């Protein structure tokens, strides 16, 4: 995805919810510069949470447009998939 297109879409997002303990992922990408610089790490963290949290829909619901843009701007590559699979395998005891 083109960087200019991502920025345009980021700047067109609806206002983000106020900060709070449960908005940590939003706070990490609250500005365009933070989104650009930390977006990959935040998207990986969200994917980890998606794989393990029973209530992940509530996490996404905090800022669905921002969430979806993050996932689109920082897609799941084979390298990230391998890291996630390894990370998830450590949680097999949860099943």
């Amino acid at each position: 995805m083109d960087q200019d297109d991502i920025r345009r879409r980021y700047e067109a997002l609806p206002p983000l919810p106020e900060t709070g303990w449960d908005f940590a992922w939003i706070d990490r990408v609250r500005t365009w510069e933070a989104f650009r610089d930390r977006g990959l790490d935040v998207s990986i963290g969200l994917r980890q949470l998606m794989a393990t949290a029973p209530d992940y829909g509530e996490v996404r619901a905090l800022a669905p447009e921002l969430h979806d843009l993050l996932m689109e701007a920082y897609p799941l590559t084979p390298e990230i998939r391998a890291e996630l699979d390894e990370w998830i395998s450590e949680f097999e005891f949860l099943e």
Side-chain angles (χ1 to χ4, degrees):
M1 182 182 284
D2 176 273
Q3 211 43 10
D4 291 333
D5 184 46
I6 295 169
R7 184 174 187 158
R8 181 185 51 74
R9 289 178 56 198
Y10 180 88
E11 291 173 349
L13 290 171
L16 298 175
E18 293 301 314
T19 60
W21 71 270
D22 55 345
F23 297 108
W25 72 269
I26 297 169
D27 290 337
R28 290 187 183 110
V29 291
R30 190 167 285 282
T31 65
W32 163 247
E33 291 77 15
F35 183 94
R36 183 192 62 217
D37 297 342
R38 297 186 197 126
L40 177 61
D41 291 335
V42 173
S43 73
I44 291 170
L46 287 171
R47 285 185 170 96
Q48 289 172 331
L49 192 57
M50 190 184 308
T52 58
D55 58 351
Y56 185 78
E58 294 176 20
V59 173
R60 181 186 174 278
L62 295 171
E65 295 89 351
L66 175 61
H67 174 278
D68 295 350
L69 182 58
L70 263 172
M71 295 299 148
E72 193 174 335
Y74 299 97
L76 185 61
T77 64
E79 295 82 10
I80 294 171
R81 178 79 234 173
E83 287 179 34
L84 284 172
D85 288 344
E86 182 179 336
W87 187 85
I88 291 167
S89 72
E90 296 174 13
F91 290 89
E92 287 180 358
F93 69 91
L94 292 175
E95 295 177 9

